[in-house]
Amino acid sequence: MKNNITILAAIIIGASVVSLGFITEKLGAPIWLIVLVPFPVGMTLLYLFLKEPFHIWLITYMTTLALYTVIHVIMSYFFKFNSLIPAWKLRV
């Protein structure tokens, strides 16, 4: 429990990734770039804040990404809400 990520670190990572994705979209970038650009920022910040070996970081990142994807699919399906990943429209 010595290397837990603080709430502030999680907010910094989330705000950075979302802001970068939003800015990329507003600049008129293609969809693939809007989805791709925030990944290295989120990955780097998580690695810096986590202060754990690479394999722990990788498991943490993949778990977070999977959870985010599940939340996005549920929100998009039930609430017709697409702004979690603006370029990834999941309306049915």
Side-chain angles (χ1 to χ4, degrees):
M1 217 160 154
K2 59 183 171 118
N3 288 327
N4 289 338
I5 293 182
T6 65
I7 297 288
L8 180 60
I11 290 170
I12 290 170
I13 293 170
S16 299
V17 169
V18 170
S19 297
L20 189 55
F22 176 78
I23 290 168
T24 306
E25 182 181 24
K26 289 301 174 192
L27 290 174
I31 290 173
W32 65 269
L33 193 57
I34 295 167
V35 173
L36 182 67
V37 165
F39 277 96
V41 172
M43 294 168 82
T44 303
L45 288 173
L46 179 64
Y47 185 75
L48 293 173
F49 286 128
L50 194 58
K51 298 177 188 165
E52 289 285 346
F54 180 78
H55 70 283
I56 299 294
W57 166 82
L58 185 61
I59 292 168
T60 304
Y61 189 80
M62 291 302 175
T63 303
T64 303
L65 185 60
L67 180 62
Y68 183 83
T69 302
V70 168
I71 290 169
H72 176 68
V73 169
I74 292 168
M75 293 294 287
S76 292
Y77 182 78
F78 288 108
F79 302 107
K80 308 297 184 225
F81 184 73
N82 288 310
S83 67
L84 292 173
I85 304 175
W88 182 16
K89 304 295 184 194
L90 292 178
R91 286 205 175 147
V92 285

